[in-house]
Amino acid sequence: MTNQSNGVKNRAVAQWVAEAAQLTQPDQIVWCDGSEEERQRMTRDAIASRVLIPLNPAKRPGCYLHRSNPNDVARTEQLTFVCTPDKDGAGPTNNWMPPDETYAKLRGWLNGAMRGRTMYVVPYVMGPVGSPFAKVGFELTDSVYVALSMRIMTRMGRAALELLGDSDHFNRGLHSTLDLNPERRLICHFPQDNTIWSVGSGYGGNALLSKKCFALRIASYLGRTEGWLAEHMLILGLESPEGETTYVAAAFPSACGKTNLAMLLPPQAFKGWRVHTIGDDIAWLRIGADGRLWAINPEAGYFGVAPGTNAHSNPNAMKTVQHDAIFTNVAATPDGDIWWEGMGTEPPAGLIDWRGQKWDRGSGQPAAHPNSRFTAPMTNNPALSPKANDPQGVPISAIIFGGRRASTVPLVVEAYDWSHGVFFGASMGSETTAAAVGQVGVVRRDPMAMLPFCGYNILEYFGHWQELVKRLPNPPKIFEVNWFRKDREGKFLWPGYSENMRVLKWIVDRVKGRVGAEQTPIGLVPRKEELDLTGLEISTAQLQQATSINAGEWLAELDQVEEYFARLGAGSFNGFEERIKSARAALAQWR
Ligand code: SAT
Ligand code: MN
């Protein structure tokens, strides 16, 4: 076995890597330094082993296509475990196994698993280097696709080793694709050990351990003990024509448009307004010395949903994936470019589908997998905020919770206070998407969009949110939004995409106390004249439907929410019961 970095200075790292190597028996160990030379070498290896297919350099310079195993195309929540010492630590929403038993089982699977393979040692930093938020992780992986993706998604390489120094405080991620057999696939978290073992999958959130596994599941646990929050949120800055920038964080479940919102290009009528992207998926939030909530994006790249991305829905994303991007499970054109459903162009003749087969237009099957993705560095994004690398992060003035709901939830509603906002988040529901294996389009409760990502007991998590405000003299206002409400014919009531700017503007104006709102049983909603609708064609009736609170729908919703909380064992916990009671009473009087 060759191991170029036996000279690594950090004892804890060296010892842990040696143990993992002894278990998995790789032919060689490659310590990643994050250099350009290394990227080229790994890319050549990936091409030679057909893990990456080079795209046409004239059309997509520096871009590659990866096809995953067709049985391995999305996160597998049923195979994802939080292994706390006792079951209660994982809580009612997580799958649980005891740590000892889990380690033993996975050790069995991992025994010799990297024979004939290379183990990449991938050191990475989450958050701007030098930030008080920043944390170091290591991923040991036998997938060159994962190593190359981690280089895009994180600050990967030497910087992490330097930041770590001789500390043993780092996340220990061990990943092997094994044989991609779903029968031997498990994604296991050990929050108490700051450890992740992921086996049998090479896909996205299952395999890029920095992302959901570390930056959400493990980090949420660390945040609980250390007094901060790790959230499934985009972060954006909204700059007015006067040059005032307001920062907003927004939680939506996977594949509900976080990337689109984070990169939004304001509509024509909003001259002088600009959106600056800080992050599109994950926020780490801390209480600042000034009593405000400050946020960073721990990641350095985007792992966005490809289908539906086009020059209208997200022009900045289209530019972001123009060069130096990896595409996973999209369709390939005969001239070496990529294509997906909803790209805004006709499928060209001779298209190859995501499985690598000639696409049959009449088959009724999509050419790109519905959860196909692009991986691109944030520095490709024309809307990237100048604050994206700021070690202090940005001060958050508003938090938005959003789901995908065909009915009930209005376009936007403001909470009366923080605690009411926590109730908004905790009671959120959303229709399921292709981002996770399972049925698509059914409403499921997804508290704070963290259902699959909270690394500890969700009831404690609600309590942590409620407690945090006691140390937060200047909390952000909290809102709930829904871009996805439909009319009776099933047509979307609100145009969405860039027009969501109008809702963002109302939110900012509410934060600044510049605009009014109407009190309803659910919260505060804009009256028609309080939304800036300049240049938008929407009928009064349509807008009314998009923003209305329907008493019947809400009474049914509250029944479901109550039933969900009861199932979780939340009971009157956190005042949720009183919230439901008073909303019901107000709805009984509602027009
Ligand atoms: O596959 S990921 O978990 O990284 C994407 C998502 O589901 O949000
Ligand atoms: Mn996500």
Side-chain angles (χ1 to χ4, degrees):
M1 178 172 77
T2 59
N3 179 355
Q4 359 134 333
S5 200
N6 288 323
V8 66
K9 291 204 190 71
N10 185 305
R11 286 261 209 90
V13 172
Q15 194 186 334
W16 167 70
V17 173
E19 278 166 21
Q22 200 166 28
L23 174 65
T24 59
Q25 302 283 312
D27 279 14
Q28 56 164 346
I29 301 179
V30 169
W31 290 70
C32 296
D33 61 13
S35 67
E36 175 56 24
E37 182 278 319
E38 171 183 274
R39 187 188 68 80
Q40 290 181 15
R41 181 168 30 84
M42 290 200 303
T43 303
R44 275 198 305 273
D45 290 350
I47 294 168
S49 56
R50 296 174 195 229
V51 171
L52 290 185
I53 301 165
L55 294 171
N56 184 339
K59 298 193 168 231
R60 304 260 163 198
C63 290
Y64 301 89
L65 169 63
H66 171 71
R67 295 195 182 107
S68 76
N69 187 306
N71 79 32
D72 188 30
V73 294
R75 277 182 296 103
T76 44
E77 295 179 3
Q78 74 285 7
L79 301 176
T80 302
F81 285 76
V82 173
C83 306
T84 45
D86 58 79
K87 190 170 190 317
D88 198 49
T93 55
N94 283 310
N95 299 313
W96 176 80
M97 284 191 288
D100 289 352
E101 198 179 296
T102 312
Y103 280 130
K105 178 178 183 142
L106 295 185
R107 253 189 216 110
W109 289 3
L110 285 165
N111 194 355
M114 296 192 190
R115 235 170 251 147
R117 300 183 184 181
T118 298
M119 175 196 271
Y120 298 92
V121 180
V122 183
Y124 62 91
V125 184
M126 298 309 277
V129 178
S131 165
F133 293 80
K135 297 220 178 265
V136 173
F138 279 74
E139 176 164 357
L140 310 181
T141 178
D142 57 9
S143 160
V144 67
Y145 164 77
V146 167
L148 283 164
S149 299
M150 290 290 285
R151 191 179 189 279
I152 296 176
M153 295 305 296
T154 69
R155 293 155 177 96
M156 185 268 252
R158 220 181 285 281
L161 277 165
E162 279 162 18
L163 183 63
L164 186 65
D166 50 20
S167 161
D168 67 352
H169 191 66
F170 60 93
N171 182 267
R172 291 152 168 80
L174 175 56
H175 170 250
S176 172
T177 54
L178 294 188
D179 48 1
L180 295 175
N181 174 359
E183 302 289 312
R184 295 205 306 160
R185 179 174 297 162
L186 280 175
I187 295 85
C188 297
H189 306 72
F190 306 88
Q192 280 74 9
D193 303 341
N194 200 355
T195 292
I196 304 153
W197 284 16
S198 165
V199 292
S201 167
Y203 191 81
N206 288 341
L208 309 177
L209 301 187
S210 60
K211 196 173 181 56
K212 308 301 187 183
C213 300
F214 180 31
L216 286 177
R217 295 194 192 95
I218 298 284
S220 62
Y221 169 83
L222 294 174
R224 166 82 177 83
T225 18
E226 297 168 4
W228 52 281
L229 292 168
E231 296 296 329
H232 194 201
M233 291 177 178
L234 67 92
I235 310 164
L236 62 81
L238 193 60
E239 185 182 350
S240 73
E242 295 75 38
E244 168 195 76
T245 304
T246 309
Y247 295 95
V248 170
F252 295 78
S254 302
C256 288
K258 280 197 299 299
T259 307
N260 292 343
L261 189 62
M263 296 185 178
L264 181 148
L265 207 60
Q268 290 268 304
F270 280 69
K271 258 203 199 76
W273 285 87
R274 285 175 68 185
V275 166
H276 303 281
T277 317
I278 305 278
D280 79 326
D281 195 38
I282 298 175
W284 286 359
L285 303 130
R286 276 176 191 268
I287 299 169
D290 61 355
R292 290 188 291 175
L293 194 62
W294 289 71
I296 61 149
N297 168 19
E299 301 190 282
Y302 311 121
F303 184 66
V305 179
T309 307
N310 60 54
H312 168 70
S313 66
N314 195 338
N316 283 321
M318 293 307 277
K319 290 190 180 130
T320 301
V321 301
Q322 207 51 59
H323 61 97
D324 302 301
I326 299 175
F327 298 89
T328 303
N329 293 340
V330 300
T333 68
D335 60 353
D337 202 0
I338 39 99
W339 188 89
W340 50 71
E341 277 70 20
M343 197 187 224
T345 54
E346 281 300 303
L351 199 61
I352 306 295
D353 74 10
W354 65 275
R355 289 183 159 93
Q357 311 290 323
K358 261 193 111 165
W359 183 57
D360 173 7
R361 195 182 286 251
S363 68
Q365 296 294 315
H369 188 276
N371 192 38
S372 55
R373 299 270 172 164
F374 55 79
T375 310
M378 68 177 182
T379 46
N380 278 11
N381 175 8
L384 185 69
S385 166
K387 297 265 186 195
N389 282 307
D390 192 318
Q392 297 311 315
V394 294
I396 299 297
S397 299
I399 288 176
I400 301 172
F401 292 115
R404 186 183 279 273
R405 295 295 300 269
S407 73
T408 317
V409 179
L411 181 62
V412 57
V413 49
E414 178 189 326
Y416 292 120
D417 54 35
W418 177 273
S419 155
H420 188 211
V422 174
F423 175 73
F424 276 7
S427 57
M428 233 171 96
S430 192
E431 290 154 24
T432 50
T433 69
V437 173
Q439 202 187 346
V440 168
V442 294
V443 174
R444 73 166 181 181
R445 295 291 134 196
D446 188 348
M448 276 88 168
M450 283 288 278
L451 178 70
F453 307 123
C454 183
Y456 62 103
N457 191 315
I458 196 102
L459 301 178
E460 262 184 63
Y461 169 78
F462 296 155
H464 183 41
W465 265 83
Q466 294 288 35
E467 287 293 313
L468 195 86
V469 76
K470 296 183 183 157
R471 294 183 291 119
L472 187 61
N474 202 346
K477 273 183 182 287
I478 300 182
F479 299 81
E480 181 166 5
V481 300
N482 178 22
W483 319 135
F484 302 95
R485 201 165 181 182
K486 290 178 176 170
D487 66 12
R488 281 220 194 85
E489 280 77 53
K491 285 221 304 280
F492 288 114
L493 286 161
W494 178 252
Y497 303 114
S498 66
E499 308 298 347
N500 293 336
M501 172 69 208
R502 301 169 191 279
V503 176
L504 289 180
K505 178 163 185 289
W506 182 76
I507 287 173
V508 168
D509 286 340
R510 287 296 298 161
V511 166
K512 308 279 175 193
R514 292 193 288 239
V515 69
E518 183 189 7
Q519 191 165 337
T520 79
I522 302 309
L524 298 157
V525 302
R527 298 179 188 87
K528 183 175 184 218
E529 63 278 12
E530 285 156 352
L531 279 175
D532 187 340
L533 299 172
T534 324
L536 178 68
E537 274 183 45
I538 186 168
S539 73
T540 305
Q542 199 174 328
L543 185 74
Q544 207 279 330
Q545 274 188 67
T547 54
S548 67
I549 307 281
N550 178 298
E553 286 178 351
W554 270 99
L555 287 167
E557 177 80 3
L558 291 172
D559 287 350
Q560 283 170 32
V561 168
E562 184 175 57
E563 196 253 331
Y564 181 67
F565 286 152
R567 212 158 6 109
L568 292 183
S572 62
F573 200 76
N574 293 309
F576 290 165
E577 205 168 56
E578 290 75 56
R579 289 280 170 206
I580 293 173
K581 220 189 207 164
S582 62
R584 276 201 185 113
L587 283 164
Q589 314 285 324
W590 187 241
R591 52 185 179 235

